[in-house]
Amino acid sequence: MLRPRETRDLSLTSFDLAISPEARIDWSHDVAGNAIATAQFDTNTTMLSIRSCARVELRAPVWPVFPIAAAAASYPFVYSPDNWTDLGALAVPQYADDTGRLSRWVESFVMARPTDTLSLLKNIGNGITAQISYQSRETEGTQGPLETLDRGWGSCRDFAVLFAEATRTLGFGVRLVSGYLFNPAGDRVGSMDAGSTHAWVEVFVPGAGWIPFDPTNRSVGSTNLIPVAVARRIQQVAPVTGSFHGRPTDVLSMEVRVDVEDAMCMCS
């Protein structure tokens, strides 16, 4: 999953995928509409190289205005039957919360019933940043929401999972997003140099549709965000997955580099 998703705020003007050794590449779309490249190899190799280069046009405003439907402007609101059916598992928490701890935590952000929907979602994102310290983590895997609350620190993907689970507990439809953070000013958390791999969430609010929330940077809207893949679970949006045949004694290592430039040439 390396091809950026086109949205109302992003146009993909070119994309190139180079793989070594030579591979047979088949393109498809998964159930979420993500572009999937499946590579199959006919030769042995001691090194696998995957290079993607995309040119995108970002049009997202710095201060977006979301046309939220009147019926959803205040929380709680009820999704229409069609929306509720289509959202399905996206509105159902994915992690066990047997004691209701996460429910109690997120309820602290609900000032009243009814309350302003957008303000509530912003407060949850701001609350995560205020209570959880950001730490970059190169190790595989993602912390569960209660684990992040217990530790008091996490990476961008941990922030995203906590936000998604907390808002799903309140009945919102939410999907996880994997992509790149464009940070030419160097003032964004979780970014190295001009760009970085990044994770955030999108919440479905009637009228406005999918609204991006980046709890790591306390931001709303898609400014500085280049989405690649969306899914119900963070594990479903890994950029590269697969298997290989080798010896148990083989030593594995991996190097990932992301370059995001003002000319909108993105290579990883």
Side-chain angles (χ1 to χ4, degrees):
M1 293 184 180
L2 295 170
R3 181 186 176 94
R5 289 172 60 95
E6 293 198 75
T7 68
R8 63 191 177 195
D9 296 325
L10 183 148
S11 294
L12 179 62
T13 59
S14 66
F15 178 77
D16 180 66
L17 180 64
I19 299 180
S20 178
E22 185 176 353
R24 182 173 72 257
I25 301 176
D26 297 312
W27 285 95
S28 63
H29 286 87
D30 65 10
V31 68
N34 302 310
I36 309 296
T38 302
Q40 300 185 51
F41 304 90
D42 296 324
T43 60
N44 296 328
T45 184
T46 58
M47 183 182 72
L48 171 63
S49 172
I50 302 174
R51 182 180 184 273
S52 68
C53 185
R55 184 179 293 269
V56 301
E57 179 185 350
L58 290 174
R59 298 180 299 275
V62 177
W63 303 105
V65 176
F66 302 104
I68 297 175
S74 296
Y75 174 85
F77 63 86
V78 179
Y79 286 118
S80 70
D82 282 342
N83 282 341
W84 185 253
T85 298
D86 292 338
L87 289 170
L90 295 177
V92 178
Q94 307 296 301
Y95 293 79
D97 183 25
D98 297 334
T99 63
R101 182 182 169 198
L102 183 61
S103 297
R104 292 191 298 273
W105 180 83
V106 73
E107 277 291 337
S108 67
F109 298 101
V110 183
M111 299 294 102
R113 280 181 166 79
T115 190
D116 183 77
T117 298
L118 188 59
S119 295
L120 170 60
L121 294 170
K122 289 180 179 178
N123 288 341
I124 296 172
N126 293 340
I128 291 174
T129 310
Q131 299 180 30
I132 309 297
S133 299
Y134 173 82
Q135 290 188 23
S136 177
R137 192 175 76 255
E138 299 298 331
T139 56
E140 185 179 357
T142 303
Q143 296 174 177
L146 295 181
E147 186 179 4
T148 299
L149 290 178
D150 287 336
R151 292 184 173 182
W153 59 267
S155 65
C156 62
R157 60 187 184 272
D158 304 319
F159 280 48
V161 167
L162 175 56
F163 187 102
E165 284 296 286
T167 48
R168 283 170 176 165
T169 298
L170 295 176
F172 287 94
V174 188
R175 60 190 185 185
L176 281 299
V177 189
S178 175
Y180 303 97
L181 176 64
F182 179 46
N183 185 30
D187 57 353
R188 299 273 171 162
V189 177
S191 176
M192 299 296 291
D193 299 322
S196 177
T197 55
H198 198 49
W200 61 97
V201 301
E202 292 177 349
V203 181
F204 185 80
V205 181
W210 292 104
I211 301 179
F213 288 87
D214 180 6
T216 304
N217 291 292
R218 296 191 180 190
S219 65
V220 182
S222 52
T223 300
N224 295 77
L225 298 176
I226 303 172
V228 171
V230 301
R232 175 173 51 90
R233 298 184 302 115
I234 194 71
Q235 292 84 355
Q236 294 174 289
V237 291
V240 177
T241 60
S243 61
F244 75 99
H245 296 281
R247 297 169 300 178
T249 56
D250 286 341
V251 178
L252 297 179
S253 64
M254 181 176 67
E255 178 184 351
V256 178
R257 195 185 83 184
V258 178
D259 298 316
V260 184
E261 303 175 0
D262 285 331
M264 295 304 176
C265 181
M266 177 182 65
C267 301
S268 62

